[in-house]
Amino acid sequence: MALAAAWLGGTPFAIVCAVMGVAITWEWNGITRQKRRDAATIAGMAGVAAAVVALLLHGVLSAVLVLGAAAVAAHVLSPRPRSVPFGAGAAVIYGGLPTLSLVVLRGDSTIGLICVFWLFAVVWAGDVGAYFTGRLVGGPKLWRRVSPNKTWSGAVGGTVAAFAASSILLYFSPGVAPVPFFLPVVLSAVAQAGDLAESALKRHFGAKDSSRLIPGHGGVMDRVDGLAAAAVVGVLIGMARAGADHSAGGLIAW
């Protein structure tokens, strides 16, 4: 679904990303507040969807303003406003920023498709490489208290796999030169950190999965935690180098 939506781009991709962001917002509130149907949650979910619409119609600044307003509204409507680090306002930010980041990257008409495929390849290859390397090699745990199955060997193996996937994809992408070696390494590390952060959040609140939306696989957060972190960092790098309209080129065209 992710690959097909990315291939189509435009509104179809934005809709899939918006569904992802809304689901993440709903799951976050279920984990941290045990509330998924109150006014704060509904306002947050609507705000994430509205931010995507604002991005498509009016650009990045409008989308960020809408997302910020939605976060404030969700926080004010929350019956536990003092829980701001993990509350309804944080749910909007955590669900909305990765959503907007992916849409912004894909919106670069010159290289957006290749950039999103490249980001998928780096994150997914890193995830798979970490799993199999950790299983085969084992060794010291990466953060036993939070995620007892993750190892340092898996982290290294995942980083190598991400670098390999990046090199292979760009080699077969016409007109795109290889990116600096550190870029897939950094984004793979960010993706792994995002995975650990979500595990720490669930561990803190005693949750095994973010939800049961995907039978046998937990929730949407469980599937995209690494991608969410990498997308946000990736779009910031791209925008810093080439601006919002050409963020994909800024990320992978060096």
Side-chain angles (χ1 to χ4, degrees):
M1 182 185 298
L3 292 172
W7 179 268
L8 292 172
T11 302
F13 184 66
I15 291 173
V16 171
C17 290
V19 170
M20 177 193 77
V22 167
I24 290 173
T25 305
W26 179 77
E27 290 175 344
W28 179 288
N29 281 294
I31 293 173
T32 63
R33 301 171 55 245
Q34 289 77 53
K35 293 180 180 295
R36 287 178 168 151
R37 298 180 182 178
D38 65 339
T41 302
I42 294 171
M45 294 164 64
V48 171
V52 175
V53 174
L55 175 62
L56 295 177
L57 296 179
H58 302 293
V60 173
L61 180 58
S62 295
V64 172
L65 292 175
V66 169
L67 193 68
V72 172
H75 173 67
V76 171
L77 291 171
S78 174
R80 296 172 56 194
R82 287 178 294 179
S83 61
V84 61
F86 303 112
V92 178
I93 302 302
Y94 187 81
L97 286 183
T99 298
L100 297 178
S101 298
L102 288 170
V103 177
V104 168
L105 289 173
R106 181 61 183 90
D108 187 338
S109 59
T110 58
I111 202 172
L113 176 61
I114 295 174
C115 180
V116 170
F117 277 0
W118 176 83
L119 188 65
F120 287 167
V122 167
V123 174
W124 293 345
D127 197 21
V128 173
Y131 175 79
F132 284 106
T133 305
R135 295 272 300 203
L136 291 172
V137 179
K141 302 299 182 180
L142 189 61
W143 193 358
R144 184 187 297 273
R145 183 172 62 85
V146 168
S147 187
N149 293 325
K150 290 183 172 62
T151 61
W152 282 102
S153 64
V156 173
T159 303
V160 172
F163 177 79
S166 167
S167 301
I168 292 170
L169 179 67
L170 294 182
Y171 179 80
F172 289 103
S173 299
V176 183
V179 299
F181 78 92
F182 64 83
L183 194 59
V185 171
V186 168
L187 288 186
S188 176
V190 168
Q192 293 182 53
D195 190 344
L196 282 171
E198 198 237 0
S199 296
L201 180 76
K202 292 189 296 183
R203 179 78 63 173
H204 178 78
F205 287 97
K208 183 179 183 297
D209 297 315
S210 59
S211 75
R212 298 180 180 177
L213 283 179
I214 309 173
H217 290 275
V220 175
M221 279 176 63
D222 298 320
R223 298 300 94 202
V224 302
D225 45 12
L227 178 63
V232 173
V233 173
V235 81
L236 290 176
I237 294 173
M239 291 174 65
R241 295 190 68 238
D245 292 336
H246 302 288
S247 57
L251 180 59
I252 66 171
W254 290 68

